[in-house]
Amino acid sequence: MARMTARERRDQLVGVAKAVFAELGYDGATVEEIAARAGVSKPVLYEHFGGKEGIYAVVVDRESTRLLDKITSYIHGEAGGRQMVHASAMAFLHYIEEDPDGFRVLTRDSPSSLGTGGIGGLLADIAAKAEGVLQDFFVRSGLDPDSAIIYAGGLVGMVAHVGAWWAPVQQPDAATVAAHITALAYHGLKGLPSNPVASLDLPTPTSE
């Protein structure tokens, strides 16, 4: 058997580590377990990543990038509100279908000392991307583009939370779940008032 190149070995270790972190979590995973499953000695893993924290950070970074790229590739500035919401939901659900281990790693709690940002940081990045698309949609619709970040965060959070619920069961199918998410979000967007605060028609709060 041909010897792996340094890059091939690194990719192999990342793949094995992702499976271990998905199964055991960060705290439960050990360098010994990752090395044993990869069929290497611990010094090999330390040589490439410096230890468990290093390889965990690489796994999270790779998965975050993959998911962000997938979602942003599904949406574009010319899309209408319904198409944008549906595409985002399908991208997220397809990622879960294709890589459940990666999704489990991203949604597990990670040590704050690592500074990886975890799922919260990733969702903030996705919301920032969605904001740009929503701003275009808001301008075309005569709405305030400065409020786009609020709606982007809400939409991304909704898709992510539904995805987290759906991941372990994957029933009903992704297309059905995406259709329900789109129906809820789009019918809200379709009737969006230009002044949401005024539309509530609530009494002005008074200070005591």
Side-chain angles (χ1 to χ4, degrees), residues 43-81:
V44 172
L45 194 144
Y46 283 114
E47 177 185 350
H48 283 276
F49 303 100
K52 186 171 78 166
E53 289 189 5
I55 195 168
Y56 179 81
V58 171
V59 169
V60 170
D61 181 68
R62 286 194 181 188
E63 292 307 309
S64 298
T65 299
R66 285 186 58 235
L67 177 54
L68 182 60
D69 288 347
K70 191 173 191 68
I71 290 176
T72 54
S73 72
Y74 274 56
I75 60 178
H76 52 82
E78 291 75 30

